[in-house]
Amino acid sequence: MAPFWLGTSWKMTKTLDEAAAYADDLRSAVEAGSVPPEVRLFVLPAATALASVRDRLAGTGVALGSQNAHPGPDGAVTGEVSMSMVRDAGASIVEIGHAERRTLLSETDDMVADKVAAAVSAGLRPLICVGETSAERAGGVTQDVLARQLRHALSRLGTLRPIELLVAYEPHWAIGDGGRTATPGEAAEGLAVVRRVLAEDLADTPTAVLYGGSVHAGNAAGLVTGLDVDGLFVGRAAWTAPGLLDIARRCHDALRRRSLRQPRNPDLVSAIVRKDPR
Ligand code: 13P
């Protein structure tokens, strides 16, 4: 059975001591057998903590990723770290196109496309984030925005193929303080667009489609049972190891309930999406 991905970005938080304590707690939980086997955990520390977290999580099966990296080769680019540098520091995943980078740091679809190609060249799994703003949703262009962002993100791969691709649907208005978790209908619409673009543009690659945006212990089970989703991507609610582990247990219970049900009819899900959101 494919794993269920459950991960957290620590964003711009944690001293080295705090990062180490989190990683040690996670290691203890893995060693105690309290991480459900079908849940594939991943953590994305700040770049400063990557190598130390790598050392502490070695052999636990928890995947490690970077929150960003520059698409160019190593060289004179002050203040940046390259794909090969984050890989050297222990990352197997690199997050690309997060809402906060698109809005606070003006990351464009072109930059995202360059980063995706560079990540794959470096042997990293890209974790591509797509999501619409509240104005775009209000304007009725959500499906067009998501399809454009994802198609653009994949557009510079040429013949390159990732070993595996992670795509997170994260509506901008759902993320962070003041964010509102997407309703099942809103989330299903976004996830269905992502699945359709992946089927059309990258059918030969293993992919996992995640939902993110104000996920917490109280709503994780409902998201797992209610959505056609291969994972959850969490911010604040998983900034402590017990927080992440609590959500992992709730996903485990929900996955068991989901597996007892009839498999979902994919035609019903894709029917939510109108014909061509290019
Ligand atoms: P929150 O869970 O804090 O809303 O953040 C989600 C997120 O940005 C994951 O990438």
Side-chain angles (χ1 to χ4, degrees):
M1 198 175 87
F4 185 85
W5 293 85
L6 174 65
T8 177
S9 164
W10 294 350
K11 305 192 180 183
M12 198 168 69
T13 73
K14 300 201 190 306
T15 62
L16 285 177
D17 283 349
E18 289 164 348
Y22 189 120
D24 288 345
D25 285 351
L26 220 46
R27 166 174 281 283
S28 301
V30 171
E31 287 173 352
S34 47
V35 176
E38 78 282 19
V39 176
R40 182 88 203 270
L41 294 179
F42 66 94
V43 292
L44 312 183
T48 47
L50 267 177
S52 103
V53 173
R54 168 198 62 195
D55 294 345
R56 289 185 138 80
L57 291 179
T60 59
V62 178
L64 189 63
S66 176
Q67 297 171 23
N68 179 45
H70 190 274
D74 294 5
V77 188
T78 299
E80 293 290 315
V81 292
S82 69
M83 297 288 169
S84 62
M85 289 163 72
V86 298
R87 188 168 173 187
D88 179 54
S92 64
I93 296 170
V94 61
E95 183 181 4
I96 300 170
H98 187 270
E100 285 147 15
R101 295 199 61 81
R102 290 183 194 259
T103 54
L104 302 176
L105 296 156
S106 308
E107 191 152 293
T108 62
D109 285 345
D110 274 345
M111 291 156 79
V112 167
D114 283 343
K115 289 181 182 192
V116 170
V120 175
S121 295
L124 293 161
R125 286 183 182 80
L127 165 52
I128 301 171
C129 300
V130 295
E132 81 285 2
T133 63
S134 49
E136 288 163 340
R137 175 159 284 276
V141 293
T142 296
Q143 295 184 18
D144 308 78
V145 168
L146 299 178
R148 187 206 74 225
Q149 287 179 353
L150 188 51
R151 286 215 162 89
H152 210 106
L154 303 175
S155 65
R156 300 196 178 153
L157 282 173
T159 56
L160 288 168
R161 287 292 173 269
I163 34 165
E164 195 166 25
L165 180 71
L166 308 175
V167 180
Y169 169 51
E170 302 204 312
H172 290 202
W173 43 267
I175 293 172
D177 292 331
R180 169 181 73 77
T181 318
T183 64
E186 289 164 341
E189 177 189 21
L191 294 166
V193 174
V194 168
R195 287 203 188 279
R196 205 176 75 170
V197 171
L198 289 173
E200 288 171 3
D201 289 16
L202 211 67
D204 53 349
T205 299
T207 52
V209 182
L210 285 61
Y211 168 79
S214 293
V215 175
H216 52 74
N219 62 17
L223 292 166
V224 172
T225 50
L227 296 174
D228 180 21
V229 75
D230 308 313
L232 295 175
F233 190 18
V234 192
R236 294 155 296 158
W239 283 353
T240 65
L244 178 66
L245 293 164
D246 187 13
I247 297 172
R249 279 187 290 275
R250 289 164 192 261
C251 288
H252 168 72
D253 294 341
L255 286 164
R256 284 183 44 192
R257 286 201 295 280
R258 193 163 91 170
S259 70
L260 296 174
R261 283 207 315 251
Q262 289 286 345
R264 228 174 265 94
N265 178 353
D267 293 342
L268 281 181
V269 174
S270 56
I272 296 168
V273 181
R274 66 168 188 265
K275 277 273 181 278
D276 185 7
R278 258 170 225 264

